[in-house]
């Protein structure tokens, strides 16, 4: 793990560095189109490059959970507690999340973070103020690619298989839902959005038997399947938050916090 976890950040960062000169030349809808095109290109490449990826539906086994000679895939007893593989992976992901969130918060407060925000809001005005657009956008691509690489490596460990079928357009839509529902341009909002997007389908599964128009197959009863209902809910939530609360759940939390902070003098 001391080898593959850092490499899972370094190699995607290099790929981001190679893509950045092309992506930095476009913005807005064109940047979104370019990102979608890269996703489709990568999906096709991973499906056809069977000698590397194992092909569609087969994939590869994830990396070993061995850190400095300690096999983290085994169960360990610490006092009266038993750490299973699932608990160990959870704690590992939690530590990486905390470290990356703290690092991201410090980056946001630094000179580079202010440059990112300026280029994001008004790139022409940022360039007039002396911020180099090419270098700033390239650094943003490299950092985000490194973050995504580590998350993808840990996701493969959690899932238990590396297959091109899992990294597809639907996963990108889930990421979009995380950002829009949680709150754009906020670290806390991304964490809240991720928790919401992961937990909501499980809540729907738990109470699906109480919803009359849902069916397990969608054929015998003629109703919606649970997966179709989840997609509809996510789509509606994205529309509602874009129209009603662009800051997402984090914005709602800020409103509630500010209200009770000033209570009973709040209006």
């Amino acid at each position: 793990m001391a080898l593959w976890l850092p490499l899972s950040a370094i190699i995607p960062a290099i790929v981001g560095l190679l893509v950045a000169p092309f992506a930095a030349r476009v913005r807005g809808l064109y940047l979104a189109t370019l990102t979608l095109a890269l996703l489709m290109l990568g999906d096709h490449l991973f499906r056809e490059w069977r000698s590397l990826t194992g092909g569609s539906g087969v994939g590869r086994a994830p990396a070993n959970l061995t850190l400095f000679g300690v096999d983290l895939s085994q169960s360990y007893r610490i006092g009266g507690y038993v750490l299973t593989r699932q608990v160990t992976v959870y704690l590992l992901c939690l530590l990486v999340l905390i470290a990356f969130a703290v690092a991201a918060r410090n980056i946001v407060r630094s000179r580079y973070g202010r440059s990112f925000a300026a280029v994001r809001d008004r790139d022409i005005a940022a360039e007039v103020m002396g911020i180099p657009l090419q270098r700033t956008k390239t650094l943003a691509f490299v950092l985000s690619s490194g973050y995504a690489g580590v998350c993808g490596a840990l996701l493969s460990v959690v899932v238990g298989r590396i297959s091109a079928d899992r990294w597809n357009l639907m996963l990108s839509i889930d990421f979009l839902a995380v950002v829009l529902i949680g709150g754009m341009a906020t670290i806390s909002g991304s964490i809240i959005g991720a928790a919401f997007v992961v937990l909501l389908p499980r809540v729907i599964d738990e109470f699906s038997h109480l919803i009359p128009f849902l069916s397990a197959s969608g054929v015998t009863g003629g109703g919606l399947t649970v997966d179709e209902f989840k997609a509809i809910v996510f789509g509606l939530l994205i529309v509602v938050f874009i129209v009603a609360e662009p800051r997402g759940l984090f914005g709602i939390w800020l409103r509630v916090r500010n209200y009770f902070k000033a209570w009973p003098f709040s209006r």
Side-chain angles (χ1 to χ4, degrees):
M1 186 183 299
L3 179 63
W4 63 259
L5 192 58
L7 285 177
S8 66
I10 295 173
I11 295 178
I14 295 175
V15 176
L17 181 63
L18 297 177
V19 174
F22 305 98
R25 300 174 64 90
V26 294
R27 59 181 178 178
L29 180 61
Y30 299 101
L31 179 60
T33 305
L34 176 62
T35 305
L36 180 61
L38 291 174
L39 171 65
M40 298 173 66
L41 177 62
D43 181 68
H44 178 74
L45 180 64
F46 293 146
R47 289 176 185 273
E48 298 301 327
W49 197 354
R50 294 182 176 85
S51 61
L52 177 66
T53 64
S56 178
V58 180
R60 298 287 187 185
N64 294 326
L65 283 174
T66 303
L67 182 62
F68 303 120
V70 179
D71 189 1
L72 300 181
S73 62
Q74 302 296 325
S75 298
Y76 295 93
R77 179 177 295 276
I78 300 178
Y81 299 93
V82 177
L83 295 181
T84 61
R85 182 185 185 277
Q86 289 78 9
V87 175
T88 303
V89 171
Y90 168 78
L91 294 177
L92 173 65
C93 295
L94 180 62
L95 291 176
V96 173
L97 170 64
I98 294 174
F100 274 36
V102 172
R105 179 60 62 88
N106 290 330
I107 292 175
V108 168
R109 295 175 177 176
S110 68
R111 180 184 64 180
Y112 299 104
R114 293 192 293 269
S115 299
F116 292 157
V119 172
R120 178 198 65 206
D121 295 336
R122 292 290 186 272
D123 55 349
I124 297 179
E127 189 175 20
V128 171
M129 290 187 295
I131 298 176
L133 292 183
Q134 185 72 24
R135 188 178 68 183
T136 303
K137 290 183 178 181
T138 300
L139 182 58
F141 267 87
V142 170
L143 285 176
S144 60
S145 299
Y147 268 64
V150 173
C151 294
L154 293 177
L155 178 61
S156 67
V157 173
V158 173
V159 173
R161 200 71 183 171
I162 303 176
S163 176
D165 299 330
R166 186 170 293 275
W167 279 264
N168 51 21
L169 180 61
M170 297 306 298
L171 183 61
S172 298
I173 295 176
D174 288 341
F175 293 153
L176 180 64
V178 167
V179 174
L180 294 178
I181 295 176
M184 293 185 291
T186 60
I187 299 172
S188 301
S190 299
I191 298 176
I192 296 173
F196 183 85
V197 169
V198 170
L199 293 177
L200 180 61
R202 285 153 178 79
V203 175
I204 295 176
D205 287 334
E206 186 70 22
F207 296 98
S208 60
H209 62 282
L210 300 178
I211 304 177
F213 56 83
L214 290 184
S215 62
S217 61
V219 177
T220 56
L224 294 174
T225 64
V226 176
D227 292 335
E228 291 172 343
F229 182 69
K230 293 176 186 176
I232 293 174
V233 170
F234 277 131
L236 290 176
L237 286 175
I238 291 176
V239 173
V240 168
F241 277 106
I242 289 178
V243 175
E245 182 52 83
R247 294 184 299 175
L249 293 174
F250 184 72
I252 297 176
W253 158 247
L254 287 180
R255 288 185 180 184
V256 174
R257 187 188 65 180
N258 294 335
Y259 176 84
F260 285 101
K261 184 182 293 185
W263 190 84
F265 303 104
S266 56
R267 298 180 59 183

